[in-house]
Amino acid sequence: MLNAFSKLSLTEQALTVSVGASGMLLIGAHLFERVGGYPPCILCLDQREAHWTALGAAVAGLLIARVLKAKLGAAAAVGAVALIYAVSAGLAFYHTG
């Protein structure tokens, strides 16, 4: 599995890591809510939206890279995901304060 990951381009690696990170964060958030019984606040839900958006943008970037073979489009998706993560980080800092 690691060998297959290392064969991807740097852009595809970044998008794959983004899919995994956002997916795991969303799974964790839903587990806290469903299993742990912690109701989410409005800011928690806003952060989930940011990660759903990042997940969608990363998947779209991977499709652009693999299906359309458009390196520039995939690089733009990496930039979009980075911007979404910056917004999510801002929400997280506001959420903790």
Side-chain angles (χ1 to χ4, degrees):
M1 176 127 164
L2 191 57
N3 191 24
F5 181 76
S6 64
K7 290 182 181 180
L8 296 174
S9 70
L10 183 62
T11 303
E12 292 171 331
Q13 287 178 355
L15 291 169
T16 302
V17 168
S18 297
V19 167
S22 285
M24 294 303 288
L25 285 166
L26 287 165
I27 288 169
H30 286 285
L31 282 174
F32 270 105
E33 180 183 353
R34 305 283 186 212
V35 177
Y38 294 105
C41 68
I42 298 299
L43 290 173
C44 292
L45 296 174
D46 288 343
Q47 282 188 279
R48 286 184 195 183
E49 288 180 18
H51 282 288
W52 279 114
T53 305
L55 183 66
V59 168
L62 281 172
L63 288 174
I64 288 168
R66 302 298 281 174
V67 175
L68 300 179
K69 307 285 189 217
K71 293 181 181 181
L72 186 60
V78 170
V81 170
L83 182 62
I84 294 165
Y85 281 146
V87 170
S88 178
L91 283 170
F93 283 120
Y94 180 72
H95 193 182
T96 59

